Coordinates of all heavy atoms in Angstrom, one line a residue:
L1390 N 107.3 90.1 126.9 CA 108.2 91.1 127.6 C 109.4 91.3 126.6 O 109.9 92.5 126.3 CB 108.6 90.7 128.9 CG 107.5 90.9 129.9 CD1 107.8 90.2 131.3 CD2 107.2 92.3 130.2
M1393 N 108.4 92.8 123.2 CA 107.8 94.3 123.4 C 108.8 95.3 123.6 O 108.9 96.3 123.0 CB 106.8 94.1 124.4 CG 105.9 95.3 124.5 SD 104.8 95.2 126.0 CE 106.3 95.1 127.0
I1394 N 109.7 94.9 124.5 CA 110.8 95.9 125.0 C 111.5 96.4 123.7 O 111.9 97.4 123.6 CB 111.6 95.3 126.1 CG1 110.7 95.2 127.4 CG2 112.8 96.2 126.5 CD1 111.4 94.4 128.5
H1395 N 111.9 95.4 122.9 CA 112.7 95.7 121.7 C 111.9 96.4 120.7 O 112.2 97.4 120.1 CB 113.4 94.5 121.3 CG 114.4 94.1 122.2 ND1 114.4 92.9 122.9 CD2 115.6 94.7 122.6 CE1 115.4 92.8 123.7 NE2 116.2 93.9 123.5
S1396 N 110.7 95.7 120.4 CA 110.1 96.2 119.1 C 109.2 97.5 119.4 O 109.0 98.1 118.4 CB 109.2 95.1 118.5 OG 108.4 94.6 119.5
L1397 N 108.8 97.7 120.5 CA 108.0 98.9 120.6 C 108.9 100.2 121.2 O 108.1 101.2 121.7 CB 106.9 98.6 121.6 CG 105.8 97.6 121.1 CD1 104.6 97.6 121.9 CD2 105.4 98.0 119.6
Y1398 N 110.1 100.0 121.2 CA 110.9 101.0 121.8 C 110.6 102.4 121.1 O 110.5 103.4 121.7 CB 112.4 100.8 121.7 CG 113.2 101.7 122.5 CD1 113.2 101.5 123.9 CD2 113.9 102.8 122.0 CE1 113.9 102.4 124.7 CE2 114.6 103.6 122.8 CZ 114.6 103.4 124.2 OH 115.2 104.2 125.0
S1399 N 110.3 102.4 119.8 CA 110.2 103.6 119.2 C 108.8 104.3 119.3 O 108.4 105.3 119.1 CB 110.3 103.5 117.7 OG 109.6 102.3 117.2
H1400 N 107.9 103.5 120.0 CA 106.5 104.1 120.5 C 106.4 103.9 121.9 O 105.3 103.7 122.5 CB 105.4 103.0 119.9 CG 105.4 102.9 118.5 ND1 104.6 103.8 117.7 CD2 105.9 101.9 117.6 CE1 104.7 103.3 116.4 NE2 105.6 102.3 116.4
R1401 N 107.6 104.1 122.7 CA 107.6 103.8 124.1 C 106.6 104.5 124.8 O 106.2 104.1 126.0 CB 108.9 103.9 124.6 CG 109.6 105.2 124.5 CD 111.1 105.1 124.7 NE 111.7 106.3 124.6 CZ 112.6 106.8 125.4 NH1 113.2 106.0 126.3 NH2 113.1 108.0 125.3
E1402 N 106.1 105.8 124.4 CA 105.3 106.7 125.3 C 103.9 106.0 125.5 O 103.1 106.3 126.3 CB 105.1 108.1 124.8 CG 104.3 108.2 123.5 CD 105.2 108.0 122.4 OE1 106.4 107.7 122.3 OE2 104.5 108.2 121.2
I1403 N 103.6 104.9 124.7 CA 102.2 104.1 124.8 C 102.0 103.6 126.2 O 101.0 103.3 126.5 CB 102.0 103.1 123.8 CG1 103.1 102.0 123.9 CG2 102.1 103.6 122.3 CD1 102.7 100.8 123.4
F1404 N 103.1 103.4 126.9 CA 102.9 102.8 128.2 C 102.0 103.7 129.1 O 101.2 103.0 129.9 CB 104.3 102.7 128.9 CG 104.9 103.9 129.7 CD1 104.5 104.3 130.9 CD2 105.5 105.0 128.9 CE1 104.9 105.4 131.5 CE2 105.9 106.0 129.5 CZ 105.6 106.4 130.9
E1407 N 98.4 103.0 128.3 CA 98.0 101.6 128.8 C 97.7 101.6 130.2 O 96.8 101.0 130.7 CB 99.1 100.5 128.4 CG 99.3 100.3 126.8 CD 98.0 99.8 126.3 OE1 97.3 99.0 126.9 OE2 97.9 100.0 125.1
V1499 N 99.4 95.1 124.2 CA 100.4 94.9 125.0 C 100.1 95.2 126.6 O 100.7 94.6 127.4 CB 101.7 95.7 124.7 CG1 102.3 95.1 123.4 CG2 101.3 97.1 124.3
G1500 N 99.2 96.2 126.8 CA 98.7 96.4 128.1 C 99.7 96.7 129.2 O 100.7 97.4 129.0
F1501 N 99.4 96.2 130.4 CA 100.3 96.5 131.5 C 101.7 96.3 131.3 O 102.5 97.1 131.8 CB 99.9 95.6 132.7 CG 100.7 95.6 133.9 CD1 100.9 96.6 134.7 CD2 101.6 94.5 134.1 CE1 101.6 96.7 135.9 CE2 102.4 94.5 135.2 CZ 102.5 95.6 136.0
Y1502 N 102.1 95.2 130.6 CA 103.5 94.9 130.3 C 104.3 96.0 129.7 O 105.6 96.2 129.7 CB 103.7 93.6 129.7 CG 103.0 92.5 130.5 CD1 101.8 91.9 130.1 CD2 103.6 92.0 131.7 CE1 101.2 90.8 130.8 CE2 102.9 91.0 132.5 CZ 101.7 90.5 132.0 OH 101.1 89.5 132.7
S1503 N 103.6 96.8 129.0 CA 104.3 98.0 128.4 C 105.1 98.8 129.3 O 105.9 99.6 128.8 CB 103.4 98.7 127.5 OG 102.4 99.4 128.2
A1504 N 104.6 98.8 130.5 CA 105.5 99.6 131.5 C 106.9 99.3 131.5 O 107.8 100.2 131.8 CB 105.0 99.3 132.9
F1505 N 107.4 98.0 131.1 CA 108.6 97.5 131.0 C 109.5 98.2 129.9 O 110.8 97.9 129.8 CB 108.8 96.1 131.1 CG 108.4 95.6 132.5 CD1 107.1 95.0 132.7 CD2 109.2 95.7 133.5 CE1 106.8 94.5 133.9 CE2 108.9 95.2 134.8 CZ 107.6 94.6 135.0
I1506 N 108.7 98.9 129.0 CA 109.5 99.4 127.8 C 110.3 100.6 128.5 O 111.5 100.9 128.1 CB 108.7 100.0 126.8 CG1 107.7 98.9 126.3 CG2 109.5 100.5 125.6 CD1 106.7 99.5 125.3
V1507 N 109.8 101.4 129.5 CA 110.5 102.5 130.0 C 111.0 102.2 131.4 O 111.9 103.0 131.9 CB 109.6 103.8 130.0 CG1 109.2 104.1 128.7 CG2 108.3 103.5 130.9
A1508 N 110.5 101.1 132.1 CA 111.0 101.0 133.5 C 111.8 99.8 133.6 O 111.6 98.8 133.1 CB 109.7 100.8 134.3
E1509 N 112.8 99.9 134.4 CA 113.7 98.8 134.8 C 113.1 97.9 135.8 O 113.3 96.8 136.0 CB 115.1 99.1 135.2 CG 115.2 100.1 136.4 CD 116.7 100.7 136.5 OE1 117.4 100.6 135.6 OE2 116.9 101.5 137.6
V1511 N 109.2 97.5 138.1 CA 107.9 98.0 138.4 C 107.4 97.6 139.6 O 107.4 96.3 139.8 CB 106.9 97.6 137.1 CG1 105.5 98.1 137.5 CG2 107.4 98.2 135.8
A1532 N 111.1 92.3 135.1 CA 110.8 91.6 133.8 C 112.1 90.7 133.4 O 112.4 90.5 132.2 CB 110.7 92.7 132.8
L1552 N 106.6 103.2 138.5 CA 107.6 102.7 137.5 C 108.9 103.3 138.0 O 109.1 104.6 138.2 CB 107.4 103.3 136.2 CG 105.9 103.1 135.6 CD1 106.0 103.6 134.2 CD2 105.6 101.6 135.7
L1554 N 112.1 104.4 136.4 CA 112.5 104.4 135.1 C 113.9 104.1 134.7 O 114.8 104.3 135.6 CB 112.2 106.0 134.7 CG 110.8 106.4 134.8 CD1 110.7 108.0 134.7 CD2 109.8 105.8 133.6
K1555 N 114.1 103.6 133.5 CA 115.4 103.2 133.0 C 116.2 104.5 132.9 O 115.5 105.6 132.6 CB 115.4 102.7 131.7 CG 114.8 101.2 131.6 CD 114.5 100.7 130.2 CE 113.8 99.4 130.2 NZ 113.7 98.8 129.0
E1557 N 117.6 105.8 130.5 CA 117.4 106.5 129.2 C 116.0 107.0 129.0 O 115.6 107.5 128.0 CB 117.8 105.8 127.9 CG 117.0 104.5 127.7 CD 117.4 103.2 128.6 OE1 118.2 103.4 129.6 OE2 117.2 102.0 128.2
A1558 N 115.1 106.6 130.1 CA 113.7 107.1 129.9 C 113.4 108.0 131.1 O 112.2 108.2 131.3 CB 112.9 105.8 130.0
F1561 N 110.6 110.9 131.2 CA 109.2 110.8 131.5 C 108.8 111.3 132.9 O 107.7 111.5 133.2 CB 108.6 109.4 131.3 CG 108.6 109.0 129.8 CD1 109.6 108.1 129.4 CD2 107.7 109.5 128.9 CE1 109.6 107.8 127.9 CE2 107.7 109.2 127.7 CZ 108.6 108.4 127.1

Side-chain angles (χ1 to χ4, degrees):
L1390 284 168
M1393 195 187 54
I1394 292 168
H1395 293 113
S1396 57
L1397 292 187
Y1398 194 76
S1399 50
H1400 303 273
R1401 57 198 187 140
E1402 74 274 5
I1403 60 155
F1404 80 91
E1407 294 295 336
V1499 284
F1501 167 77
Y1502 301 107
S1503 64
F1505 289 102
I1506 309 175
V1507 295
E1509 56 192 10
V1511 176
L1552 310 188
L1554 296 166
K1555 294 177 182 175
E1557 71 274 20
F1561 290 106

